[in-house]
Amino acid sequence: MRGANLPFRDLPNSALTVLLFLFLPLHWFAMLSFHHAKVSRRNMPLLTRTIALIALLLLYRPALALEVIEKDHFFIYFPKGHERLASELLSECGPASAYLAEQGLPIKKPLHIVVDDRLDRPKARATMYPHREIRIPLRAPGILEDGSFEPHPWRFFLFMGLSAQGIYSLRSGIPGAVHNLFGEIISPNLILPDWGIEGIGFLLFEKFNHKRVSTPLADTILKTGPFPDIDKVSNHPEVWPGRFSHRIYGRPFIRWLDRRYGWQKLHTVLTLHGAGIVPFEIDLEAEAVYGKNWSQLWGEFRMEMEERAVNTHGQPITGYWHDPFIFWNDAGVYPGKLSNVHRGRYGVVGPQGRLWLSAYDTNDISRLKSQRGDSVDTAKYEHAWDPGPGGVAVTRRGGIPFLLIYPEYCSGDRKEKRLEPKLVVAPPGTIQLSGPVMDEFGRIAVSGNIDGNWDIWLFDGSWHRITNAPSIEMDPWLSKGKLLFASNRSGRFQIHTHTMQQLTFDHTAAILPRGDRYLLLGSTGWRMADLNLENAAPLDMRTLLEPVREKPTGGSDGETDIAGKSRPYSPFGSIWPNYISPDIFIDEESFQVGLATTGRDVTGRYAWDAGVRYSTDDALFSWRLGTKLNNWHLRTSHYPFSYTTLLGTGVNEIRQDSKLGWSPAKFKALEFSANWRHYAPRNHRSQSDNEWWGSISHRYASTQLRTSLTLDLFTEESQSLYGEIVYRFGERINTVMTLQAGKTWGDIKEGHNTFRIGGNTGEGFFTQRPTRLFFLRGFDNNALEAEQAASGGLEIFWPLFRLQTGYKTLPLFLHNIHLGTFADAGIADDRPASEDLLVGAGFELIMGMEIAWGIMARFRVGLAWPLMQPDGLDQDGPVFLIQIGRPL
């Protein structure tokens, strides 16, 4: 499949071409299904018209504003206007990959490198499947983020991604043989602690550039107080120093191993691990190479490092607001909601008492979030971070940073929400801004990065550069006519004024001045300390440097020598998958195994997938095949469908479903679809039939509320309306309220337009439509069926233990244990009455854990009892509940 990249390299970006190559398999499967169903000729033109309609709609799709350049099978995809950056990265690929090959980490090609305008998280993403890819954020890193002190952070991201690609590619023995069968998904070196993968990449980056990379605050934390055990560094704990322990301690550990034992032994460890049958075991390789396991080597590293006892303790604080006193970290806001989210360092409390922070969503896009108690709202504005006093934040246009001035962020006034935000472009040459604050006079202080050096800037209608030194200046604060910030000019971070007057003289680090307080580094975290401002020099605008005149950016980084060498983007260079993935699901009633694969282009606008599963309870194979083109998706699936209710009704069918769906570009939560199904009883395949229906569905999700609503319109004079509401609330003790309901009008057909209640799982992967099975724990799946049904549940999660512990390098880290107590009620009847009500209750133990040094998972096990049921039912209890993995 990978060889298929080459013949299509020069094809035009034609949606019709994409349609032919991606939809032909679907058309073939649909024709087979129609032939098997003995469909009359009058139905055949409908299929032809449907495919022609898709072709017509997609043919006029606007071309993507994306370009691609290629050399030696390194493909660089970049937004128009960023030719210089793409050219620099392409020129870096050759020397960097040659150096890595010399170190025994050759890069396999073709390799797709995406300069991603959507990503905000400052980290390179290296993936092996569905194609070899490195995604580099176009946004430069903020202060103290990885790569923030590099003059060219994108070069740093590229090298780290190339290094990860080289590490993942090392395999031999049985893993190498399995790789030949399943593809790039099989690699033991994918399963390593972050200090192994990132630490080695960081070490090689320093060697490649013949310099030590500056990490000033991380170095200070490293020398302050006791070291954590290796289990805390291998995983992502919620205790000090948090989920970036692998950077603070792991990178120096790898550097120490290289200095003491040499690079060749580190490479041998990777080679042995790449040949290992049990990829979770990493101590055997260390013992084979070093004669000691990782815990013993970690102990020697701790002994050799210079440690200094610090008597002041603290807490794992990311940022804080001084009045009212609030602080936050990745585990939650105190006081406030306990929720694991990677939050920014800066925040502000608005006039309405809401705390404004920035956090990444599931797509690694930074958004502003407001929180009060357990209520969390997300602003619609994308690519915004670092909210500060005065309704000021930071945003970007492409790779160019801007100040964002928007009163909505700090006010509840609905009139102000209608105001358009004001954008102020960063000073010339600035690649990133961090931590803006506005005073009562409308002046804005912010930290800006030029060539890896962070200085304080002031905007009062014009830009003024406040500091101009090789040291790092960050965390500005404007209050009562004084400008404060943190600087490491003295060798460690201390609080200074705009005249570089030093206000603190702490032995560790002093950062984040807020009001008359700041954060002081202790042995176990940060604590608040008082700041004496009596002798602090006031801000005198006459002493500032000359104003810096703004220059229009034009959205381009300049002409380069690649002009004319780039070509318009085509999805065929990256849409072919290079893997087949084993697939498994287990619950209390089902065991399924299979294979699956997925292909997507680097934009994610084009994709296709295929899968096959064998169900042991049905003793049958199921398969699926689907494709996505922009806002359209088409899918066909073949699967068994059977159930028997407690009253003895049910179906036992083989089904072939096909679905054509479309979502508006600006309303992706809304979907319109046309559906066709061919079905037959499993024991009488000749008695087949068909049905058609159209659907309109809408889904909404926020931090606390999730809703869905679906309307099905069948051609057999039948309509169904059904949906779900899930509401969550609570800070430490969380409560979840769920309601599911549905009703069908017109002709009723069991198993097709009816609704069922019972159990704890959805219908499954191959149905490809919203489920008509509503949960009701304490009863078997599919307990009752009717033309209308409803179920609701109340579940309370009680925190039992906050473990935060693992054992050495065992790839299992226990985060917490919760007790879930629940009560469910439901009804399914054509004419429901109170005596038809079913009620169940029970409990679950939920273990939050981390598997294989980075995979967050939950293991749920519990019991449920039927408490109330109508006459004629005899459901016994308790019902055992268990779930590992995700239902298809």
Side-chain angles (χ1 to χ4, degrees):
M1 293 297 289
R2 286 178 295 170
N5 282 307
L6 299 180
F8 302 111
R9 274 177 48 189
D10 299 320
L11 285 179
N13 183 18
S14 166
L16 180 59
T17 307
V18 176
L19 174 72
L20 292 175
F21 279 92
L22 294 186
F23 277 9
L24 279 178
L26 292 177
H27 180 251
W28 181 69
F29 276 106
M31 291 298 293
L32 286 180
S33 300
F34 271 97
H35 177 72
H36 178 69
K38 300 180 180 179
V39 178
S40 62
R41 293 178 180 269
R42 62 186 175 84
N43 286 330
M44 293 303 296
L46 181 59
L47 176 65
T48 305
R49 288 196 298 268
T50 301
I51 294 179
L53 177 62
I54 299 172
L56 182 63
L57 290 172
L58 294 177
L59 184 61
Y60 294 101
R61 181 186 60 83
L64 297 174
L66 199 65
E67 298 285 328
V68 58
I69 53 175
E70 181 264 341
K71 182 179 181 181
D72 297 332
H73 299 292
F74 289 104
F75 295 84
I76 308 287
Y77 304 87
F78 60 95
K80 288 183 179 180
H82 294 277
E83 290 79 8
R84 176 173 298 169
L85 175 59
S87 178
E88 291 169 348
L89 292 177
L90 185 61
S91 64
E92 188 71 16
C93 288
S97 61
Y99 174 79
L100 290 170
E102 291 174 1
Q103 308 307 311
L105 300 177
I107 307 299
K108 290 188 177 181
K109 296 177 281 189
L111 181 61
H112 304 278
I113 303 168
V114 186
V115 181
D116 199 325
D117 189 21
R118 296 287 293 167
L119 289 183
D120 287 326
R121 190 185 295 272
K123 182 180 179 179
R125 288 178 176 178
T127 53
M128 304 286 282
Y129 54 88
H131 51 254
R132 290 182 172 273
E133 178 182 283
I134 300 173
R135 301 191 85 88
I136 297 173
L138 183 57
R139 171 195 158 175
I143 189 71
L144 297 183
E145 293 180 325
D146 207 24
S148 62
F149 305 122
E150 288 296 310
H152 198 305
W154 302 278
R155 182 175 175 269
F156 169 77
F157 293 146
L158 173 65
F159 190 95
M160 294 293 284
L162 291 172
S163 174
Q165 286 283 343
I167 292 172
Y168 298 157
S169 298
L170 285 181
R171 61 173 73 86
S172 60
I174 293 179
V178 174
H179 163 258
N180 292 332
L181 178 63
F182 289 102
E184 294 296 349
I185 195 173
I186 304 300
S187 171
N189 281 329
L190 278 167
I191 308 174
L192 283 173
D194 283 341
W195 55 259
I197 298 172
E198 285 198 18
I200 288 174
F202 198 75
L203 169 71
L204 294 176
F205 181 77
E206 290 184 326
K207 288 188 169 187
F208 178 61
N209 291 282
H210 306 287
K211 69 171 186 176
R212 183 78 168 263
V213 175
S214 173
T215 54
L217 188 58
D219 293 343
T220 302
I221 296 174
L222 176 70
K223 298 175 182 178
T224 302
F227 272 46
D229 293 331
I230 195 171
D231 67 301
K232 302 292 193 302
V233 179
S234 298
N235 297 281
H236 300 81
E238 299 167 12
V239 295
W240 178 258
R243 64 181 62 200
F244 294 116
S245 300
H246 64 280
R247 294 180 182 170
I248 298 170
Y249 301 98
R251 288 175 176 178
F253 177 52
I254 294 295
R255 190 188 290 129
W256 174 83
L257 285 172
D258 175 71
R259 185 178 68 250
R260 182 165 181 175
Y261 297 101
W263 161 250
Q264 190 55 48
K265 289 196 172 184
L266 274 171
H267 183 269
T268 303
V269 168
L270 294 175
T271 303
L272 292 176
H273 190 63
I277 301 176
V278 184
F280 301 103
E281 172 57 55
I282 62 174
D283 272 344
L284 291 179
E285 291 86 354
E287 290 175 349
V289 175
Y290 297 107
K292 306 165 187 175
N293 61 36
W294 290 115
S295 296
Q296 291 170 328
L297 291 167
W298 183 259
E300 293 181 7
F301 168 62
R302 292 170 63 170
M303 292 292 293
E304 287 193 20
M305 294 300 296
E306 179 184 355
E307 297 189 19
R308 179 168 54 242
V310 178
N311 295 325
T312 56
H313 296 278
Q315 303 181 68
I317 296 175
T318 298
Y320 83 103
W321 182 256
H322 61 299
D323 186 23
F325 175 68
I326 298 173
F327 74 89
W328 57 90
N329 54 35
D330 290 343
V333 176
Y334 305 91
K337 184 178 177 62
L338 182 63
S339 176
N340 286 317
V341 176
H342 180 54
R343 300 172 178 85
R345 300 182 67 236
Y346 304 102
V348 59
V349 176
Q352 304 300 316
R354 300 190 68 88
L355 173 67
W356 286 88
L357 299 169
S358 59
Y360 297 109
D361 63 16
T362 54
N363 297 315
D364 281 349
I365 296 174
S366 182
R367 297 174 183 264
L368 299 185
K369 294 179 178 289
S370 67
Q371 178 170 331
R372 180 166 55 189
D374 67 337
S375 174
V376 180
D377 294 325
T378 301
K380 295 182 179 179
Y381 201 95
E382 293 184 340
H383 313 299
W385 59 94
D386 292 2
V392 64
V394 174
T395 186
R396 65 181 175 90
R397 292 291 183 270
I400 303 171
F402 286 79
L403 288 176
L404 176 68
I405 306 173
Y406 205 164
E408 175 190 352
Y409 295 152
C410 299
S411 172
D413 189 344
R414 294 186 178 181
K415 293 181 180 179
E416 291 187 353
K417 290 186 178 182
R418 292 196 295 265
L419 298 177
E420 288 297 321
K422 177 182 179 182
L423 296 179
V424 178
V425 68
T430 303
I431 62 174
Q432 192 52 276
L433 298 174
S434 279
V437 294
M438 179 188 288
D439 67 3
E440 61 272 24
F441 304 108
R443 299 175 300 190
I444 301 172
V446 66
S447 185
N449 179 7
I450 296 180
D451 294 331
N453 184 44
W454 291 82
D455 283 298
I456 303 298
W457 292 76
L458 189 74
F459 180 78
D460 63 352
S462 300
W463 282 108
H464 305 267
R465 187 167 185 168
I466 304 299
T467 63
N468 189 9
S471 54
I472 299 166
E473 281 72 49
M474 63 181 191
D475 301 346
W477 180 256
L478 278 169
S479 179
K480 299 178 181 178
K482 298 177 181 180
L483 173 58
L484 312 175
F485 50 84
S487 172
N488 69 340
R489 183 181 185 182
S490 64
R492 60 175 64 94
F493 280 106
Q494 302 294 331
I495 308 302
H496 293 70
T497 69
H498 74 286
T499 62
M500 297 308 293
Q501 174 190 4
Q502 188 170 335
L503 300 181
T504 61
F505 299 86
D506 297 303
H507 295 294
T508 54
I511 63 171
L512 270 174
R514 290 293 181 265
D516 56 357
R517 309 185 81 185
Y518 66 98
L519 289 184
L520 174 61
L521 180 63
S523 57
T524 58
W526 300 95
R527 67 180 180 88
M528 307 302 147
D530 294 327
L531 190 60
N532 186 357
L533 299 178
E534 290 184 3
N535 298 321
L539 180 62
D540 186 354
M541 298 296 293
R542 295 172 299 179
T543 65
L544 301 181
L545 301 178
E546 289 296 321
V548 179
R549 185 166 54 89
E550 295 182 26
K551 297 179 181 178
T553 61
S556 174
D557 52 12
E559 296 294 330
T560 68
D561 59 356
I562 69 167
K565 298 181 180 179
S566 64
R567 60 177 183 271
Y569 173 75
S570 169
F572 279 100
S574 56
I575 201 170
W576 310 109
N578 59 11
Y579 79 100
I580 300 174
S581 172
D583 211 3
I584 188 170
F585 170 69
I586 304 171
D587 70 1
E588 60 268 21
E589 294 187 357
S590 178
F591 179 77
Q592 304 170 15
V593 293
L595 298 172
T597 190
T598 300
R600 63 159 177 82
D601 75 320
V602 298
T603 69
R605 292 173 179 260
Y606 301 90
W608 68 278
D609 62 271
V612 61
R613 273 198 178 185
Y614 179 77
S615 173
T616 56
D617 15 331
D618 293 315
L620 285 173
F621 282 96
S622 304
W623 58 263
R624 63 178 169 85
L625 184 63
T627 186
K628 170 191 172 186
L629 284 86
N630 214 10
N631 298 325
W632 291 85
H633 53 274
L634 181 63
R635 179 175 300 280
T636 185
S637 51
H638 180 85
Y639 60 96
F641 185 79
S642 63
Y643 65 88
T644 302
T645 69
L646 294 178
L647 297 179
T649 63
V651 298
N652 187 11
E653 298 177 347
I654 295 294
R655 293 181 171 183
Q656 177 79 40
D657 282 2
S658 295
K659 172 184 176 180
L660 171 65
W662 173 75
S663 295
K666 295 185 179 180
F667 302 97
K668 294 183 179 180
L670 188 65
E671 180 191 71
F672 301 88
S673 65
N675 302 266
W676 168 78
R677 172 178 292 152
H678 170 68
Y679 61 97
R682 288 178 61 177
N683 299 327
H684 301 281
R685 299 287 183 92
S686 60
Q687 300 177 7
S688 62
D689 203 350
N690 300 277
E691 61 182 349
W692 296 81
W693 72 96
S695 289
I696 304 174
S697 62
H698 182 271
R699 295 178 181 272
Y700 169 81
S702 66
T703 305
Q704 292 181 278
L705 180 65
R706 185 179 78 242
T707 65
S708 66
L709 185 66
T710 300
L711 173 65
D712 287 342
L713 303 173
F714 292 87
T715 57
E716 292 86 1
E717 302 299 326
S718 174
Q719 307 87 37
S720 293
L721 183 66
Y722 52 103
E724 176 187 53
I725 299 175
V726 180
Y727 181 66
R728 302 171 181 266
F729 60 92
E731 296 182 4
R732 297 299 182 269
I733 300 174
N734 296 305
T735 302
V736 180
M737 301 173 63
T738 306
L739 175 65
Q740 297 176 307
K743 180 176 175 58
T744 295
W745 297 267
D747 297 335
I748 303 300
K749 184 184 294 185
E750 291 180 349
H752 290 255
N753 57 5
T754 54
F755 299 94
R756 288 157 285 126
I757 60 172
N760 191 30
T761 60
E763 279 186 315
F765 173 68
F766 290 107
T767 61
Q768 297 304 316
R769 62 183 176 87
T771 179
R772 288 173 173 261
L773 172 60
F774 302 152
F775 76 94
L776 182 56
R777 290 163 290 189
F779 295 85
D780 293 337
N781 280 345
N782 306 290
L784 292 177
E785 178 183 25
E787 64 185 62
Q788 54 186 335
S791 70
L794 177 67
E795 186 164 10
I796 302 176
F797 296 94
W798 309 84
L800 294 183
F801 305 103
R802 189 166 180 261
L803 300 174
Q804 298 298 312
T805 186
Y807 181 73
K808 297 183 179 179
T809 56
L810 189 71
L812 177 65
F813 189 84
L814 305 180
H815 279 266
N816 48 56
I817 299 178
H818 283 78
L819 172 66
T821 56
F822 60 83
D824 298 339
I827 194 168
D829 198 278
D830 296 342
R831 295 182 178 180
S834 58
E835 59 267 20
D836 299 320
L837 189 66
L838 290 80
V839 178
F843 68 89
E844 286 182 307
L845 287 176
I846 303 102
M847 170 75 76
M849 56 189 179
E850 186 173 342
I851 304 172
W853 311 292
I855 302 173
M856 302 299 175
R858 283 189 173 185
F859 173 70
R860 305 171 70 104
V861 61
L863 295 172
W865 287 265
L867 301 182
M868 181 185 299
Q869 52 188 313
D871 295 338
L873 293 188
D874 189 20
Q875 172 75 58
D876 295 327
V879 176
F880 181 61
L881 305 174
I882 184 173
Q883 186 168 325
I884 305 173
R886 295 181 179 179
L888 291 185

